Amino acid sequence: MKILEFHELPAEDRLRLLVDGAIAEHVALETLLESILNALEAHAGEWMPDVVEGRRRRKYSRTAISKALEEERGAGSASIGLYRTMAPALDMTLSLGDTASPSELGISIALQPLSFFSRAERCREFVEMVRVWARSFPMTYAMAHGMADRQLAGAPSFNRDGTTSRRDGFDKVYELFWLNVFGPKLVESVGRERMLSTPAHLVEELPNGSVLLVLWPTAAEFASEEARVAQAHAHVHLRPDLDFDTVLRTLRERSAELAPVEPHFHPDLAPLLSRLPDTFAISERHRKIAELNAFRPPEPEEWLPVALPSDVENPERVLTSYGELSEGLVAALHTKVPSIMDETPGSLTDLDFYFWRENFPERYTRELIDGHTAPALGAYLGDVLVRRLGGTWVLRQKMEESQVRVGRRVWLPFLRARRYMQSRQSLLDCSLTQLFHEAERYRS
């Protein structure tokens, strides 16, 4: 049963819901689970999960959920996943205690894309679902917001060390999000009257003493100027120690950082650079695109206008040794970079991305890189120039002086590979992709 996986989808912002709750002593687990699922089924609508996962995946049903929980309890846990097979993509986790913390209850939801919640009706249904949950079991804290902005806000640590963050949780109003549920303890620390008088789209006191607070009608519009002003007013209302202008300026800076940036990459490197933003946190994506738009690699210097004459006595033996180096690289990487077997320009780009993603030059020893990886890459690059651009080898006893003649220039693939493998940045400055395209321009 194939579910939608976020890593297989285009990188987009998501709505993130996190609920920290507890299982009351007098409430049967089955009764609590029923109330949670009733609210989910009544209000999820178009994002209703259709897959349940415990030890294995099943089509969504109450029976499937019961079986999954039984399987998980047998393993000392009571946590199941709920997913979708069609858009919008959903990753939901329901945790009903475990051996170490039997009274803890947690719900996590990630829904992509965030733009799905640009409709007010969908947002009202989402809020109603959380309201029902907050009436069904005690909540210490809950929030729902765009994932990228939540990351920029510093959640969940909010500049605290990990130990302090785990120990204290959300013990004061570090940040206000689109939807918030504040537990009774936090409400009392802020002041119930102050909390209930917060200027916001919705403020509601719940029977158990919690307060539900929604800043804006729609989740997807959190970064608009009007929504940011409302967010700043509400936050400063709850935290009089904060300065309104400072809070609003910070929110505007976050909105600017999340503003879409169109890719305009260097044409030779566009196939490579277009892959890099997806490796960063969603909150960094647009800033990284802007940085990569501005990136201009140095002109390749690994070429000669006139070839050095060959000085090897047995060219066939040298070419065989280069072939063995290249084949060794293919054997080592063919499962991680399947296209390496094709020896195409796309293979070079896939290698560039692989080495950059793995931060290969800085993760592995110089002995391995200088003694094995760089020479093998030089041989492979040379073979691609020969095979795809009609180049010819001009062999030298000193490996770094061996050349491939392509049109009006001769290229030094081993020298390029050594410079390429110096650092993570040099993988971009001296990419295999760029050298190929530069050689291609001089083919005729």
Side-chain angles (χ1 to χ4, degrees):
M1 195 176 298
K2 177 64 175 174
I3 63 173
L4 287 181
E5 302 270 10
F6 290 141
H7 68 86
E8 297 175 351
L9 300 174
E12 291 186 78
D13 205 357
R14 306 167 194 162
L15 182 69
R16 193 82 167 92
L17 170 73
L18 292 171
V19 175
D20 293 330
I23 302 172
E25 293 182 4
H26 62 281
V27 176
L29 190 60
E30 292 74 15
T31 302
L32 175 59
L33 179 61
E34 183 177 7
S35 64
I36 292 173
L37 296 179
N38 283 344
L40 176 67
E41 294 168 3
H43 301 289
E46 297 165 273
W47 62 268
M48 180 66 194
D50 54 13
V51 174
V52 179
E53 184 171 274
R55 297 287 100 181
R56 65 185 184 88
R57 289 178 183 171
R58 299 177 173 90
K59 185 177 179 180
Y60 180 94
S61 68
R62 295 291 182 96
T63 301
I65 289 174
S66 297
K67 288 181 178 179
L69 284 171
E70 288 175 10
E71 292 169 354
E72 292 297 312
R73 287 195 191 98
S77 173
S79 179
I80 60 171
L82 301 170
Y83 306 96
R84 283 181 55 79
T85 56
M86 298 179 293
L90 170 70
D91 185 339
M92 178 175 177
T93 302
L94 177 60
S95 301
L96 299 175
D98 56 29
T99 304
S101 305
S103 64
E104 289 186 0
L105 186 155
I107 301 174
S108 168
I109 291 177
L111 270 158
Q112 182 175 317
L114 177 61
S115 58
F116 180 81
F117 289 96
S118 58
R119 293 188 189 178
E121 181 57 31
R122 289 171 177 167
C123 294
R124 281 194 293 270
E125 291 294 328
F126 192 92
V127 171
E128 182 58 30
M129 177 188 70
V130 175
R131 177 190 282 115
V132 173
W133 286 349
R135 289 170 173 265
S136 302
F137 60 88
M139 285 189 187
T140 306
Y141 174 65
M143 60 74 59
H145 198 69
M147 186 175 74
D149 194 54
R150 180 176 180 270
Q151 292 172 353
L152 291 179
S157 62
F158 301 105
N159 296 319
R160 298 171 293 172
D161 63 75
T163 301
T164 303
S165 177
R166 287 189 294 272
R167 182 192 67 216
D168 297 342
F170 200 86
D171 59 335
K172 68 177 183 178
V173 185
Y174 295 99
E175 183 65 76
L176 271 186
F177 296 109
W178 170 65
L179 179 150
N180 312 263
V181 178
F182 300 116
K185 184 176 179 181
L186 185 55
V187 171
E188 295 306 327
S189 70
V190 171
R192 186 167 295 275
E193 184 176 343
R194 176 176 291 276
M195 181 76 76
L196 294 175
S197 61
T198 303
H201 171 66
L202 172 67
V203 181
E204 179 181 336
E205 186 174 21
L206 301 174
N208 59 15
S210 298
V211 170
L212 169 65
L213 190 154
V214 180
L215 286 175
W216 198 252
T218 54
E221 296 176 352
F222 72 89
S224 69
E225 176 64 13
E226 297 83 356
R228 287 305 201 187
V229 171
Q231 186 177 3
H233 278 301
H235 197 184
V236 172
H237 174 84
L238 294 174
R239 289 278 306 274
D241 57 308
L242 298 178
D243 174 69
F244 174 80
D245 291 338
T246 302
V247 171
L248 182 57
R249 182 171 61 252
T250 299
L251 294 175
R252 284 171 171 164
E253 288 171 355
R254 282 169 25 194
S255 293
E257 191 158 350
L258 295 174
V261 177
E262 288 296 320
H264 299 291
F265 303 133
H266 186 284
D268 283 355
L269 292 187
L272 169 61
L273 300 183
S274 62
R275 304 186 193 185
L276 304 192
D278 290 349
T279 66
F280 294 94
I282 191 68
S283 57
E284 300 179 75
R285 175 178 171 76
H286 297 296
R287 177 166 56 85
K288 291 299 179 182
I289 291 175
E291 291 175 2
L292 294 170
N293 280 345
F295 174 66
R296 292 295 179 267
E299 292 291 325
E301 298 178 349
E302 298 81 13
W303 63 276
L304 297 170
V306 178
L308 298 173
S310 178
D311 61 356
V312 301
E313 295 180 358
N314 192 332
E316 288 187 5
R317 181 182 298 172
V318 175
L319 285 176
T320 298
S321 69
Y322 289 0
E324 290 171 351
L325 284 172
S326 182
E327 289 169 7
L329 185 74
V330 171
L333 296 181
H334 72 278
T335 56
K336 297 175 181 176
V337 188
S339 70
I340 194 174
M341 302 178 72
D342 301 330
E343 293 188 353
T344 65
S347 307
L348 298 178
T349 300
D350 289 344
L351 282 170
D352 285 335
F353 180 64
Y354 167 76
F355 287 122
W356 185 90
R357 185 187 61 204
E358 298 296 313
N359 193 11
F360 198 94
E362 294 168 30
R363 285 184 59 194
Y364 293 90
T365 66
R366 294 316 309 177
E367 180 182 7
L368 172 68
I369 291 170
D370 295 339
H372 299 278
T373 310
L377 270 172
Y380 184 85
L381 175 59
D383 283 346
V384 175
L385 295 177
V386 169
R387 183 173 180 182
R388 299 302 172 184
L389 297 181
T392 54
W393 280 103
V394 181
L395 305 174
R396 300 279 294 177
Q397 291 183 22
K398 186 176 180 181
M399 183 180 285
E400 281 196 4
E401 293 180 356
S402 283
Q403 308 136 75
V404 175
R405 185 193 302 277
V406 177
R408 303 190 306 272
R409 284 186 177 182
V410 290
W411 302 89
L412 301 162
F414 290 102
L415 178 60
R416 180 71 169 191
R418 179 175 65 79
R419 291 174 175 173
Y420 171 77
M421 272 287 164
Q422 293 306 301
S423 67
R424 195 180 203 194
Q425 183 58 42
S426 69
L427 296 175
L428 303 182
D429 292 340
C430 303
S431 69
L432 309 179
T433 298
Q434 186 198 10
L435 185 86
F436 179 89
H437 289 304
E438 188 74 3
E440 189 175 31
R441 281 190 280 273
Y442 286 87
R443 176 168 46 176
S444 57

